[in-house]
Each structure stands twice: as structure tokens, then as C-alpha cells.
């Protein structure tokens, strides 16, 4: 090889080495910390009679030679002879596992599911695997059920990744990890019965771990802060990427923790559940309307509506900074509403759940002079048989009706020869459900309207 060729080869290698050095210098600290955290996570194993480290590696570790790493970490002199009852720690990254299972138990609206760069059409019962990315658009919701019965609910405008969905063979335990990139997520975790069972939720600025509880995770779009709010049980929350951090707090039921982008971690008591005014009333108007009893500590309220008490099949939700929350109309049926209040510290409070009936039944009327007298007409929307009743009163709304026509099936009535005077009239509807098992009969009236007859 000539001197010039050797020189060019040397310069090329030097340039490549420099680029690799620069790449190592500019690795994101968050990525480096996450990699370090994942590499340091371990499970404890107690040796039984007949166990050897080499045999354990052959059965439960990804490579038989991984026993060397475990031997070094635990300072074991002889891998073929370890006392019964000795506890050793093994990095999770070395252990064999089988893929665990999750399924799409319910969804509504525009839901996106992708894995390995491929978009998957959502279907109830669809298997969801590790590595999947899920997103919900505005007015959209989904719920997943994990193999152990735990449930994950995503409301609208949220994005989540399933980073671990595994069953560890050595400990016969589950290893679940989810990442909330934006929006919100609710975790209803089945209580674990094995010490090695793990369920974790990560956000860009914090990580939380539980062993069986009901809690919410939310990433604030404006500030980037991550909120964790415990409804049942208890969780542990740490700022950053690792639960080994010194900045870690325990968050029992009724409390919450917020981690900021700067690494600060604050804890607070959650507001008690709000009270709805007349929550059992039939929701008969075009839009649903809930009224919350006011209190100074609350700055906003949220209402979730579901077809079930477990809030698996969420239908709609709304956030309002007032005491009245209006939601889009839904199909007739029985539903559940979950109400929460937000405190001045930004935490969403404890929930209150109410049941209610939805039966669309609107009614409005008009009156005018026609060719044959005064014509009263009404109209409205609602499914099922509708029967009307018309009343006309003279002089006062508390007077005895001078006209009281019930059992009307048409939407109009004409009255002739009304003497001069001030009249008040209204129309009512009796509506029967189209569901043969629903024997309830719904009735409502319009407000009194005034009609003046003169000359």
C-alpha cells in the first residue's frame, strides 16, 4: 500500500472516530438515564434445593452465559454451589419471558392503533401487543383489559405506548409498563399476589409504580407537568426516569403528586367528590346537563358518562370551569356519570358516581289566530309512543283549566269563540319507551305561555 493510500485511510478512520465521539457526547441525558434505569432494574430470587446458577441461566435467562453477569453482581464464588435460601438479584433485562396479553375491550370514536409501523383497525376484542402505540382523537375513548384483569382507560386527546407487556418465567410474574406521552390515562390495577409483579406508568418527567390500585395519570399540555392522582390503594411516584431516585414520594388514596419538567415533586390532598344537583333526573333535552353544587375550593369540574359502572365503555366527557356542565346528546338508555372537581393546585379530585336515565323528549309550542279560531300547535323529538295533553286557563296559572284535553295523538288543536281576556296555556307529553323491558313512563310539560284575546 502506498504512503498516500495509507494516509487517506488513516484520516478516514480518524474522522469516523471523531463522529462517534461526538455522538456519545450529545446523547440526551433523559435517554441515557432511562437506559441506565432499565439496565439496573432487578428481581430477587431465593435459591431452592437443587438449584445451580448455571442451570437457572439455561432455563430462565436469555443466554446461558448470562450467569456470569449474575455471579459477578452477587459476588458468588462458585456458581455450582449456592446455599439454599440465599437471595440473589437478577437484572430483568437478562430474564426470559413470554408475551403477555391485552385486548381492546371497548372503544368509541376515532381511535388509532399502530405497531411496527403498521396501522391496525380497531375491533372489540383485538389483541394489543407490546410495542403498540395508541391514540384517541377528540370525543374518542378506549379501554384495554390486561391478562391479569387490570384495565386501562384512555379518554380523548391522549397518546400512549405499551413499552412492556410480559410474563417473567422465572418468577411467574407480570411485568407491565406503559408510557403516557400526552393527555390522560386511568389505571384500574388488579392487586398483585407475587412480590415480583410490576406495573409502571411513565410520563416524560415522572414514573409511578403500583401493586393494585385505581389511579389517574395526566400530562399537562401547557406546562409539561405530570400529575398522578390515587383514588384507591397507593402508588409511588418519582421525578425523572427511575424509582431508585431519592426524589420519591408515596401517594395513598385521596392524595396526588405532580412532577415538573425541572424535576420538582409536589404532593397534595385531593378535593372531596362534588355533589350534583338532582342527579337522578331524566336527561330529556337535546344536550345533557349536569349542575354541580358550588364550592369555593373548586376551579373546574369534569363529567364522564359511561354505559357501565366500571367506566369501561366511556361514551362522552366534558370539562367546564363553571357549575353547569353540558354534554352532547346520546342514545336513550341507562348510564353512569362520574363527577370530579379541580383544585386551585391543578389536581383533579376524588370522583363521585351517579346513575341516570337518558330519554330524549323535547317539546315546544306556538299559538296564533286562524280562520276558524285560535290554533295551538306543538312539536318535539323522542322515540316511542307520544301522547299529548293540552290545558288552557283563564286569568291565572293557578286557576282551574277551562280546557283540559288529554289523550291527544295529533300535534294541533283549534279553539273557537274565545271571549276577551288573558289566557295561559301549556301542553304536556307522555312518552313510552321503545324498550319493552322499560316500563317507566316519562312525562313533561312546556312552560305556560300567555295569550291575550281582545276585541
Amino acid at each position: 500500500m502506498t504512503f498516500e493510500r495509507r494516509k487517506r485511510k488513516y484520516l478516514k478512520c480518524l474522522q469516523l472516530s471523531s463522529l462517534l465521539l461526538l455522538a456519545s457526547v450529545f446523547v440526551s441525558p433523559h435517554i441515557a438515564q432511562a437506559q441506565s434505569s432499565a439496565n439496573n432494574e432487578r428481581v430477587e430470587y431465593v435459591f431452592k434445593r437443587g438449584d445451580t446458577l448455571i442451570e437457572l441461566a439455561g432455563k430462565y435467562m436469555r443466554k446461558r452465559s448470562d450467569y456470569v453477569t449474575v455471579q459477578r453482581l452477587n459476588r458468588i464464588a462458585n456458581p455450582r454451589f449456592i446455599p439454599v435460601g440465599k437471595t440473589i438479584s437478577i437484572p430483568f433485562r437478562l430474564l426470559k419471558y413470554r408475551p403477555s396479553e391485552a385486548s381492546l375491550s371497548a372503544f368509541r370514536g376515532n381511535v388509532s392503533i399502530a405497531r411496527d409501523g403498521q396501522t391496525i383497525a380497531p375491533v372489540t376484542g383485538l389483541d394489543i401487543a407490546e410495542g403498540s402505540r395508541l391514540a384517541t382523537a377528540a370525543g374518542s375513548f378506549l379501554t384495554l383489559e390486561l391478562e391479569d384483569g387490570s384495565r386501562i382507560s384512555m379518554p380523548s386527546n391522549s397518546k400512549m405506548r405499551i413499552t412492556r407487556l410480559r410474563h417473567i418465567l422465572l418468577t411467574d410474574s407480570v411485568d407491565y409498563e406503559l408510557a403516557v406521552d400526552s393527555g390522560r390515562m386511568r389505571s384500574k390495577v388488579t392487586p398483585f399476589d407475587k412480590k415480583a409483579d410490576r406495573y409502571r406508568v411513565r410520563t416524560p418527567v415522572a414514573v409511578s409504580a403500583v401493586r393494585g390500585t385505581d389511579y389517574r395519570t395526566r400530562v399537562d399540555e401547557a406546562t409539561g407537568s405530570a400529575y398522578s392522582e390515587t383514588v384507591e390503594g397507593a402508588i409511588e411516584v418519582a421525578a425523572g426516569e427511575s424509582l431508585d431516585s431519592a426524589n420519591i414520594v408515596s401517594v395513598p388514596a385521596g392524595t396526588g403528586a405532580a412532577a415538573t419538567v425541572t424535576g420538582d415533586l409536589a404532593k397534595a390532598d385531593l378535593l372531596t367528590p362534588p355533589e350534583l344537583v338532582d342527579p337522578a333526573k331524566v336527561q330529556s333535552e337535546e344536550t345533557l346537563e349536569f349542575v354541580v353544587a358550588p364550592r369555593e375550593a373548586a376551579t373546574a369540574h369534569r363529567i364522564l358518562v359511561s354505559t357501565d359502572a366500571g367506566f369501561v365503555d366511556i361514551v362522552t366527557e366534558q370539562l367546564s370551569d363553571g357549575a353547569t356542565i353540558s354534554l352532547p346528546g346520546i342514545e336513550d338508555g341507562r348510564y353512569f356519570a362520574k363527577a370530579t372537581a379541580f383544585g386551585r393546585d391543578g389536581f383533579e379530585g376524588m370522583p363521585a358516581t351517579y346513575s341516570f336515565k337518558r330519554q330524549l323528549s323535547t317539546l315546544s309550542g306556538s299559538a296564533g289566530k286562524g280562520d276558524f279560531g285560535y290554533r295551538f300547535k306543538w312539536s318535539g323529538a323522542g322515540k316511542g309512543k307520544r301522547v299529548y295533553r293540552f290545558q288552557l286557563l283563564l286569568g291565572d296559572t293557578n286557576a282551574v283549566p277551562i280546557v283540559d284535553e288529554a289523550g291527544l295523538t295529533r300535534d294541533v288543536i283549534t279553539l273557537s269563540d274565545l271571549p276577551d281576556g288573558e289566557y295561559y296555556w301549556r301542553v304536556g307529553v307522555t312518552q313510552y319507551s321503545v324498550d319493552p323491558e322499560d316500563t317507566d313512563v316519562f312525562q313533561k310539560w312546556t312552560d305556560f305561555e300567555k295569550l291575550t284575546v281582545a276585541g
Side-chain angles (χ1 to χ4, degrees), residues 350-409:
M350 298 292 284
T353 300
Y354 302 87
S355 63
F356 70 94
K357 182 180 180 180
R358 162 63 168 174
Q359 185 168 0
L360 178 63
S361 181
T362 61
L363 188 63
S364 61
S366 61
K369 197 170 187 322
D371 295 337
F372 303 99
Y374 287 89
R375 188 169 182 261
F376 300 85
K377 187 173 177 58
W378 52 88
S379 63
K383 295 180 179 179
K385 181 181 177 182
R386 290 165 62 94
V387 179
Y388 302 101
R389 180 176 180 179
F390 175 84
Q391 290 182 337
L392 182 72
L393 294 74
L394 177 61
D396 189 275
T397 57
N398 295 318
V400 176
I402 60 173
V403 177
D404 192 350
E405 292 286 342
L408 302 174
T409 56

Side-chain angles (χ1 to χ4, degrees), residues 274-277 291-295 301 323:
E275 294 184 7
L276 296 185
V277 178
V291 179
V292 183
R295 52 179 171 169
H301 297 92

Side-chain angles (χ1 to χ4, degrees), residues 314-337:
I314 300 174
V315 177
T316 184
E317 70 168 352
Q318 188 61 266
L319 177 67
S320 172
D321 57 5
T324 300
I325 304 104
S326 297
L327 299 94
I330 57 178
E331 291 294 318
D332 290 355
R334 301 279 182 176
Y335 294 91
F336 296 85

